[in-house]
């Protein structure tokens, strides 16, 4: 039988070409399949992302007013009675005040005034802070309230409890389908009461004592009404020497995302009598009301 002549290189080249073409077609088909599947994968991821979180509203205030010019001169004459006896240049300087050093006047400003005489000295300071929340889920007002509450607690003044929500459960004593009484639903955040009565002489849990205490004068540190959205007043009496007394009255209030602190100090020298609390509180509260009105302009 006659054998077919072998031609070197032709059969091998043809086989290699076929293999390369097959690999190319397979790779192209794989890339096409991957490209076609990408949109479907993206849609699956987006579907699992969930609804967008709502952004909390910004605060009412974007800037702050200039503090040293915010107090009328008539008020400064009343708050700094010793300035009237000073020479003209020193009196004008006392009424101008000294601005606090801050690095962002849109976030925090302040001013200080003082007038000294040999027997008595007065110092008035004003601090205004604009609170900004950097959490999209927390509003500026809510963040400012957190800052305000910390100040109030630091002054030793308890925060008044908020009114509990109206229960939505079945009224106490109403029989259920099984014949057992159904108790009232406990509002969130409110401790569950038990049937154990309080000890003899102790007030029941959740009740508020009524009437003034034996030592109450009505001038103690307390929460104030009708000033901003929330407000309190602090009153601290101390000594500054053997025959010297000083009293510092602070009024703090919040309006939206701005917190204002008015601090008024009187210090006496060579007198056994302490500065009058009622007078200092009235002057500090009057100035705080003026500043609250300024914020409403």
């Amino acid at each position: 039988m006659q054998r077919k002549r072998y031609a070197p290189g032709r059969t091998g080249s043809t086989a290699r070409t076929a293999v390369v073409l097959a690999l190319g077609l397979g790779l192209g088909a794989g890339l096409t399949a991957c490209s076609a599947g990408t949109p479907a994968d993206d849609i699956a991821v987006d579907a699992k992302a969930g609804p967008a979180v709502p952004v909390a509203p910004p605060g009412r205030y974007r800037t702050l007013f200039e503090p040293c010019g915010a107090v009328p001169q008539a008020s400064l004459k009343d708050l700094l009675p010793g300035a009237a006896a000073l020479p003209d240049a020193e009196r004008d300087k006392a009424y101008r005040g000294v601005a606090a050093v801050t690095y962002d006047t849109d976030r925090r400003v302040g001013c200080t005034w003082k007038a000294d005489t040999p027997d008595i000295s007065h110092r008035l300071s004003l601090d205004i802070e604009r609170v900004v929340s950097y959490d999209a889920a927390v509003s500026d007002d809510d963040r400012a309230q957190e800052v305000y509450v910390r100040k109030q607690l630091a002054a030793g003044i308890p925060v008044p409890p908020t009114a509990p929500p109206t229960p939505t459960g079945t009224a106490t004593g109403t029989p259920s389908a099984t014949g057992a009484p159904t108790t009232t639903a406990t509002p969130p955040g409110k401790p569950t009461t038990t049937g154990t009565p309080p000890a003899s002489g102790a007030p029941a849990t959740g009740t508020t004592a009524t009437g003034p205490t034996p030592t109450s004068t009505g001038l103690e540190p307390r929460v104030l009404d009708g000033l901003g959205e929330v407000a309190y007043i602090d009153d601290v009496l101390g000594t500054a020497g053997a025959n010297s007394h000083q009293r510092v009255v602070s009024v703090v209030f919040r309006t939206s995302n701005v917190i204002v602190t008015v601090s008024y100090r009187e210090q006496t020298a060579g007198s056994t009598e302490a500065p009058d609390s009622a007078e200092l509180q009235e002057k500090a509260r009057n100035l705080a009301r003026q500043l609250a009105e300024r914020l409403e302009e």
Side-chain angles (χ1 to χ4, degrees):
M1 183 177 71
Q2 186 178 3
R3 294 183 179 179
K4 185 177 181 179
R5 186 178 179 180
Y6 173 71
R10 294 182 61 187
T11 304
S13 176
T14 303
R16 285 194 297 269
T17 301
V19 171
V20 170
L21 290 175
L23 290 176
L25 291 174
L27 180 59
L31 292 175
T32 303
C34 292
S35 300
T38 300
D41 293 341
D42 290 343
I43 294 174
V45 171
D46 293 339
K48 296 179 181 179
V53 178
V55 179
R60 174 180 176 183
Y61 301 98
R62 296 287 187 274
T63 59
L64 299 173
F65 54 77
E66 197 282 315
C68 291
V71 182
Q73 187 168 355
S75 299
L76 290 174
K77 290 181 179 180
D78 183 46
L79 293 162
L80 307 174
L86 298 175
D88 293 345
E90 294 185 21
R91 182 173 62 251
D92 294 340
K93 181 180 179 180
Y95 289 155
R96 282 197 302 269
V98 178
V101 178
T102 61
Y103 298 98
D104 188 350
T105 54
D106 285 336
R107 291 292 303 277
R108 192 163 199 163
V109 294
C111 192
T112 302
W113 302 261
K114 64 178 182 178
D116 300 333
T117 65
D119 298 329
I120 192 170
S121 65
H122 292 87
R123 184 179 185 274
L124 171 68
S125 65
L126 177 61
D127 178 81
I128 308 172
E129 179 182 3
R130 184 176 69 91
V131 180
V132 176
S133 172
Y134 294 100
D135 187 345
V138 180
S139 68
D140 292 345
D141 287 18
D142 290 341
R143 186 68 74 200
Q145 178 64 13
E146 294 176 3
V147 176
Y148 169 84
V149 168
R150 286 197 294 269
K151 290 176 176 287
Q152 181 172 326
L153 294 177
I157 304 174
V159 178
T162 57
T166 303
T168 57
T170 307
T172 303
T174 302
S176 63
T178 59
T182 305
T183 57
T184 304
T186 302
K190 185 176 180 181
T192 304
T193 58
T194 62
T196 305
S200 177
T205 303
T207 60
T208 304
T210 58
T213 60
T215 59
S216 175
T217 62
L219 298 174
E220 293 80 9
R222 62 199 182 277
V223 173
L224 297 177
D225 295 327
L227 180 61
E229 296 179 24
V230 285
Y232 72 85
I233 186 169
D234 193 19
D235 191 324
V236 180
L237 177 64
T239 58
N243 295 319
S244 179
H245 297 82
Q246 73 172 14
R247 184 182 295 277
V248 180
V249 174
S250 301
V251 177
V252 182
F253 70 90
R254 178 184 70 83
T255 298
S256 185
N257 60 321
V258 169
I259 299 175
V260 179
T261 301
V262 176
S263 181
Y264 186 41
R265 185 193 72 184
E266 179 179 307
Q267 180 174 325
T268 60
S271 174
T272 57
E273 294 184 3
D276 184 66
S277 179
E279 180 182 0
L280 297 186
Q281 288 193 20
E282 181 181 3
K283 291 182 177 181
R285 292 181 64 177
N286 287 339
L287 177 57
R289 278 192 290 267
Q290 293 178 16
L291 297 174
E293 293 174 356
R294 174 70 180 271
L295 286 172
E296 296 297 330
E297 295 178 356

